[in-house]
Amino acid sequence: MTAAPDPSVTSERESAPVAPPPVRPAPAPSLASGEPPRSRRLLRSVLLGLGIFLLVVGILLPLYVYPRVAVLPEDPQTEQVLKAENATVLMADPSNPAGASVLTGVDVTATNFVSEARGVDGKGDNDAVWDIATRIEVDGRGLLQARVERLSIDRSTTESTNCCGDRLVESEEEPDGKPLRHEGYYTFPFDTQKESYQIWDVNLQRSSTAEYIGESTREGIDVYMFRKAVPLQKVGSRELPGGLFGSKELNVDAEAWYASTRTYWIEPNSGDVVGIREEITQQYTANGRTVTAFEAKLESGKPAQDRLDQASGAALVLPWLRGRASIVLILIGLLLFVAAALVGRPIRRRRTPAH
């Protein structure tokens, strides 16, 4: 016989609270990689494209643009005027039995005009052929000397090329003049350095050394200074009236002597001449006597405003085209590449695990 359950025990069990099941901590969400949103992908493409563009431009500026900008003009049409006071000159003088007289204490003006030579054959694509017309006049007395020098020159390096009939015409009676073999530089090169250069001297008919002597400022432009010193030396001979040298002969063969000290003020980026000063001596010697033909201290005045503007513009633009702009553009391009990489990084998304 089974005992009946105790009702008090049953009631107590039914009223006791039931403990909830233990709560387990949720597992950490796993991480997954994904493409960045469309706006960031677009921005990445823009940054990459702009970076590539800047790199290409930075490379092309010194290699392609600069060589096409830093060239001499085919037809310069430039004039340079130098003046001197208290000069000594030998001028034709019909009133003198010798046919010429030495004048002292006179003022002189030397003018050089450079223009394109016409009707030239054999010129290369990068050659310029110039006619350099020089006139030396004595104030109040007229023309002392005139000549036309034909020069062929490389427009990029500014060195002589002798491609196209280089010559010197000093007399109307000989319009073809005599051949010249130029050497060295007629004008200073683009990107002039602080070093010596071989500069052409028409009186020597060869080049001589122009030494770098320092930096300065002229007409508001930063310049390099060079000095070319030619000691007194024999440079040829010339037939002159014997009376000039105390000779009874109608004409004598006189030795020609020349000396010069020339100082240049050069804008270094373009090689433009901002100023010139020259102390020059030309003498003739025969029969034991020396006659001074020309002695003066010449100096250029202020260049024309367009030439000053050209030199100032070159000083500003050419250094950037030659290298500065490339450095800046390439650095910016690389920074844009870095920015594009950061923008284009995959987004790490949170993924909730399935239950």
Side-chain angles (χ1 to χ4, degrees):
M1 183 173 181
T2 306
D6 187 350
S8 62
V9 174
T10 304
S11 174
E12 184 179 10
R13 286 177 179 175
E14 288 177 352
S15 61
V18 178
V23 179
R24 297 180 180 179
S30 60
L31 299 176
S33 297
E35 281 293 320
R38 184 173 180 276
S39 60
R40 295 183 66 178
R41 294 200 305 271
L42 179 60
L43 179 58
R44 178 182 61 185
S45 298
V46 171
L47 292 174
L48 283 174
L50 185 56
I52 292 171
F53 173 76
L54 293 181
L55 284 178
V56 171
V57 173
I59 293 171
L60 288 180
L61 282 179
L63 297 180
Y64 183 83
V65 178
Y66 177 77
R68 285 158 177 78
V69 173
V71 292
L72 296 172
E74 291 193 72
D75 189 10
Q77 293 290 314
T78 57
E79 182 178 77
Q80 186 175 67
V81 179
L82 294 89
K83 292 181 175 290
E85 298 177 347
N86 297 317
T88 299
V89 299
L90 176 65
M91 289 196 74
D93 183 1
S95 65
N96 189 327
S101 296
V102 175
L103 306 179
T104 59
V106 298
D107 298 339
V108 299
T109 301
T111 304
N112 296 308
F113 186 79
V114 183
S115 61
E116 181 183 12
R118 307 297 179 179
V120 175
D121 296 325
K123 185 172 69 170
D125 292 339
N126 206 42
D127 289 325
V129 184
W130 295 344
D131 280 339
I132 306 158
T134 301
R135 291 175 59 88
I136 300 177
E137 297 174 290
V138 178
D139 291 2
R141 295 181 179 269
L143 183 66
L144 175 65
Q145 184 185 118
R147 65 172 182 258
V148 177
E149 179 183 3
R150 178 159 294 183
L151 167 74
S152 52
I153 189 170
D154 187 294
R155 297 179 64 203
S156 298
T157 67
T158 75
E159 292 182 281
S160 306
T161 62
N162 295 288
C163 71
C164 309
D166 293 29
R167 63 176 182 256
L168 180 65
V169 180
E170 297 181 286
S171 170
E172 293 182 352
E173 288 75 25
E174 298 179 8
D176 293 333
K178 61 180 181 180
L180 280 181
R181 181 72 182 175
H182 287 100
E183 59 185 35
Y185 295 92
Y186 171 77
T187 184
F188 282 81
F190 293 96
D191 192 20
T192 297
Q193 300 296 305
K194 298 176 180 181
E195 60 189 35
S196 298
Y197 288 92
Q198 293 298 308
I199 303 297
W200 171 257
D201 188 324
V202 68
N203 293 300
L204 288 175
Q205 297 194 13
R206 59 178 174 82
S207 63
S208 59
T209 302
E211 297 181 345
Y212 172 78
I213 59 174
E215 297 182 56
S216 184
T217 301
R218 182 157 175 149
E219 308 299 346
I221 297 173
D222 293 334
V223 294
Y224 291 172
M225 295 178 64
F226 295 85
R227 180 165 295 144
K228 181 169 71 71
V230 178
L232 187 64
Q233 58 191 273
K234 182 180 176 181
V235 292
S237 62
R238 182 177 178 182
E239 190 176 85
L240 292 172
L244 287 173
F245 306 96
S247 174
K248 296 180 180 180
E249 297 183 23
L250 180 62
N251 294 305
V252 296
D253 190 32
E255 295 179 346
W257 292 75
Y258 165 75
S260 169
T261 299
R262 175 175 281 206
T263 304
Y264 301 88
W265 284 262
I266 302 297
E267 195 293 302
N269 295 287
S270 62
D272 286 344
V273 177
V274 180
I276 289 179
R277 179 188 298 144
E278 181 174 23
E279 298 180 17
I280 182 172
T281 298
Q282 292 175 316
Q283 300 174 340
Y284 292 105
T285 300
N287 197 35
R289 293 189 181 183
T290 297
V291 173
T292 298
F294 189 77
E295 190 170 70
K297 295 180 179 179
L298 295 158
E299 184 158 1
S300 61
K302 181 178 179 179
Q305 189 60 45
D306 59 339
R307 291 191 64 188
L308 288 177
D309 293 342
Q310 176 182 317
S312 299
L316 177 65
V317 174
L318 291 182
W320 285 95
L321 292 180
R322 190 171 58 244
R324 292 180 189 172
S326 294
I327 295 173
V328 173
L329 291 175
I330 290 173
L331 287 176
I332 295 175
L334 293 176
L335 290 175
L336 290 175
F337 285 160
V338 173
L342 294 176
V343 168
R345 285 187 307 175
I347 295 178
R348 299 171 66 84
R349 297 173 178 165
R350 293 183 176 273
R351 186 175 62 194
T352 303
H355 292 287

